[in-house]
Amino acid sequence: MDSALCQRVVLVVLDGLRPDAIETLQLPTLLSLQAAGASTLTAQTVWPPVTAAAMASLLTGVHPPDHGLTSDRLHIPRSRADVQPLPACLQSAGYITSAFLAEPPLLFRRLARALAERLGVAKPTFSGQCASQIVDAASATLGRQRRGLILLHLPDADRAGHAHGWMSRQYCQAAHELDSAVARIAVLALSEPDTLLVLCADHGGGGVVANDHESDHPLDRTIPIIVAGADVSAGTALGDAHIVDIPATIINAFGLAIPSNYAGRPLSTSHIAPELALANA
């Protein structure tokens, strides 16, 4: 391996998973990955704390006013700044991006593919409606694609939160099902020593309204981030972190230059890969 920490990153978005759910519900896979890698339960997401805005920031490295998706309404945004999507940056360096998300409603399928193409996702797959089905669709790629980025978006906790309330009985069940799906991903991802596994939520929920998350309340804006695999030191505390730090971390892990307009910085580079801190200084 050259200056890159890894050759593959598996990025898993745990839609609507509140950080306190991990310990309160004793989610075994996420607790195990926390212990084996680096983590924080106090990271912050974007404003507004909604999926479309957060996912766009996760894949562009900039805040919603710059990438143009400032609500949960899906549309082709008009960017206010020069946006360099993470998948497009990786593609220019020879790393492809595969993405696995739930199948959208019929009216939004063309839009979803158009957004994926605009971001530079080479292989978008929209299949299934829950975490286990999405992992079923992704399993062959997780076993076969040894370079580049593999993104999975798991919607279970968010859907249960909206339908029944965050930390309701149904939400707790959905969180455990999500955790079981993450266990399957981790087995496939961490079988390769040069794979970095990154897990995060896009937002929390239940802060002001029991079944919503669009407020400035800490329970809505605070998210977990867990990084494991590759050369990540076990038990590392990431400390202060933001969702926009994740694309910078991924670019850095591949040993590539971080675009100058990215709003974040690599997460605890000194803990994850000290040599890369010097390379990117």
Side-chain angles (χ1 to χ4, degrees):
M1 201 182 305
D2 51 23
S3 62
L5 168 64
C6 64
Q7 290 296 309
R8 180 174 73 162
V9 174
V10 177
L11 172 60
V12 184
V13 180
L14 312 169
D15 196 334
L17 186 72
R18 269 175 31 179
D20 61 327
I22 297 175
E23 294 185 356
T24 300
L25 304 180
Q26 286 293 291
L27 302 178
T29 305
L30 293 175
L31 287 171
S32 176
L33 289 170
Q34 273 189 279
S39 66
T40 175
L41 299 180
T42 60
Q44 298 296 296
T45 191
V46 297
W47 177 260
V50 295
T51 297
M55 289 295 291
S57 289
L58 192 60
L59 292 172
T60 63
V62 299
H63 289 282
D66 291 325
H67 60 59
L69 279 174
T70 56
S71 71
D72 223 3
R73 184 177 69 86
L74 279 178
H75 62 282
I76 301 294
R78 179 174 296 178
S79 303
R80 196 176 73 177
D82 176 27
V83 174
Q84 301 179 60
L86 172 63
C89 291
L90 296 179
Q91 187 175 47
S92 67
Y95 295 101
I96 68 166
T97 296
S98 300
F100 295 87
L101 303 93
E103 186 173 10
L106 181 61
L107 290 175
F108 291 95
R109 289 177 190 174
R110 182 175 295 181
L111 175 60
R113 292 195 174 277
L115 283 168
E117 180 179 352
R118 179 164 179 165
L119 290 166
V121 177
K123 298 179 179 180
T125 299
F126 300 92
S127 178
Q129 292 300 325
C130 64
S132 63
Q133 293 172 351
I134 293 166
V135 176
D136 286 344
S139 59
T141 296
L142 285 165
R144 182 178 62 246
Q145 181 182 325
R146 302 302 174 90
R147 297 182 79 253
L149 175 65
I150 302 174
L151 165 69
L152 298 95
H153 176 270
L154 308 182
D156 303 48
D158 181 70
R159 288 181 176 172
H162 281 294
H164 304 284
W166 263 257
M167 303 306 284
S168 65
R169 176 180 59 82
Q170 294 87 347
Y171 179 88
C172 296
Q173 180 180 347
H176 276 282
E177 290 171 355
L178 182 153
D179 188 76
S180 295
V182 171
R184 294 172 57 197
I185 295 168
V187 167
L188 291 166
L190 300 181
S191 63
E192 294 294 321
D194 58 357
T195 293
L196 189 69
L197 176 61
V198 181
L199 304 105
C200 70
D202 51 350
H203 55 74
V208 174
V209 179
N211 63 345
D212 203 3
H213 49 77
E214 194 170 349
S215 86
D216 204 28
H217 193 285
L219 287 176
D220 292 339
R221 297 200 67 176
T222 306
I223 61 171
I225 298 177
I226 301 172
V227 185
D231 294 328
V232 178
S233 300
T236 300
L238 291 176
D240 293 336
H242 195 282
I243 196 170
V244 294
D245 294 330
I246 293 175
T249 301
I250 293 172
I251 288 275
N252 187 67
F254 283 116
L256 305 174
I258 300 169
S260 60
N261 68 328
Y262 272 32
R265 45 114 177 109
L267 289 167
S268 294
T269 305
S270 59
H271 295 293
I272 296 175
E275 70 280 3
L276 295 184
L278 298 175
N280 288 282

